[in-house]
Amino acid sequence: MEAATEREALVAALSWQVAMGADEAMLDAPVARAAAAPPPEPAARPAARPSAPVPLRRLPPVGEAAAALAAGASTLEELRAAMAAFEGSALRETATNFVFSDGVPGAPVMIIGEAPGAEEDRQGKPFVGASGQLLDRMFASIGLSRAESLYITNILPFRPPGNRTPTDAEISLFLPFVLRHVQLAAPRFLVLAGGVSAKGVLQAREGITRLRGRWHEVTVLDGTVFKALPTWHPAYLLRNPIAKRDAWADLLLLRRSVKDG
Ligand code: URA
């Protein structure tokens, strides 16, 4: 191969890997996994037997499995275990860690973000990267912290490859888990950080621009109604500092409601 063509091929291979989410070096040297584990010997073919008709069992779609697992969890620990064991999403194959929650279970305010980013995936905790630091500062400004008064989770418990936006299918797949999470954590108020969280939890057609800044209601499986405040995602605020004005108004609305009880 000519040097230039070889370089182009290498750049193309690298871009493909980055697009698939392999955008970080985890070890100093690559691991030749295929060489390390020789392929298994082919199993001896069983003697031919007259074929009996195989009964066709309709497997429940993954969405039904997710809903059943979520409904079967009666504590936050059971929910964490059920989600960690759930195999219905390919996202778990590309993520490094399962990210469930941080903060105080039972806190008055529960924040729901979108999905883990690179740092969250590395640490297995939500909102610990740059946008998490802004989130902490925003809530500290109204006297709330993850050490005392906040409980934090995401719509997706796995980082989407290359930090892409979650698909509608991924959001609906994990929604039963999210709603069960809300029911079990039982906060007084929900804060929906960003459009993915707001549209997902409220099952709304409007975008975050129209939804933010006012209280909405979310009804979970047992009929309990939670008050939910959509607001800008801190990552959006980092890119658009002018929107911090709106976010501040949303925080003041939250503070008033927390104080009023
Ligand atoms: N963005 C999110 O929505 N959630 C995180 O946990 C981190 C970044």
Side-chain angles (χ1 to χ4, degrees):
M1 207 188 294
E2 298 253 324
T5 329
E6 188 176 355
R7 189 171 178 284
E8 276 165 23
L10 287 172
V11 168
L14 202 56
S15 316
W16 181 80
Q17 288 191 13
V18 169
M20 291 295 109
D23 54 1
E24 282 182 79
M26 304 302 289
L27 296 170
D28 289 342
V31 178
R33 295 187 197 281
E41 292 289 318
R45 280 176 73 124
R49 281 202 278 138
S51 59
V54 179
L56 280 179
R57 193 163 58 92
R58 199 176 70 83
L59 289 175
V62 283
E64 282 176 33
L69 277 173
S74 49
T75 62
L76 288 172
E77 267 320 303
E78 282 179 20
L79 184 68
R80 178 201 289 269
M83 290 176 70
F86 177 59
E87 297 205 328
S89 167
L91 291 175
R92 63 179 298 134
E93 308 303 332
T94 45
T96 304
N97 275 305
F98 164 66
V99 179
F100 184 67
S101 69
D102 194 25
V104 185
V109 177
M110 178 172 180
I111 303 171
I112 305 180
E114 177 176 318
E119 195 52 37
E120 289 76 18
D121 185 39
R122 198 172 296 131
Q123 295 191 31
K125 273 191 194 177
F127 281 108
V128 288
S131 58
Q133 285 158 23
L134 175 57
L135 180 113
D136 285 345
R137 287 200 300 277
M138 287 163 60
F139 283 86
S141 72
I142 56 162
L144 300 176
S145 72
R146 60 175 99 196
E148 288 182 351
S149 38
L150 295 174
Y151 184 63
I152 307 177
T153 191
N154 280 309
I155 296 282
L156 302 187
F158 296 109
R159 179 192 185 204
N163 284 357
R164 65 161 169 73
T165 303
T167 64
D168 287 349
E170 287 162 349
I171 296 168
S172 345
L173 181 63
F174 282 100
L175 199 57
F177 290 121
V178 175
L179 296 180
R180 187 68 172 162
H181 203 158
V182 170
Q183 190 180 338
L184 294 171
R188 283 171 54 215
F189 301 100
L190 287 171
V191 172
L192 309 176
V196 165
S197 170
K199 286 181 73 177
V201 172
L202 301 175
Q203 291 166 61
R205 286 178 175 217
E206 301 113 301
I208 185 67
T209 312
R210 284 180 166 272
L211 294 170
R212 62 148 287 276
R214 60 197 163 90
W215 289 107
H216 299 253
E217 290 193 338
V218 179
T219 307
V220 297
L221 206 60
D222 71 350
T224 313
V225 179
F226 291 88
K227 288 186 81 180
L229 180 64
T231 190
W232 295 121
H233 192 286
Y236 177 78
L237 296 176
L238 287 171
R239 295 191 305 270
N240 300 278
I242 190 85
K244 285 184 180 168
R245 202 171 41 190
D246 297 338
W248 178 237
D250 300 346
L251 286 170
L252 292 181
L253 176 59
L254 174 68
R255 182 171 70 176
R256 255 196 321 275
S257 305
V258 170
K259 280 210 169 122
D260 292 350

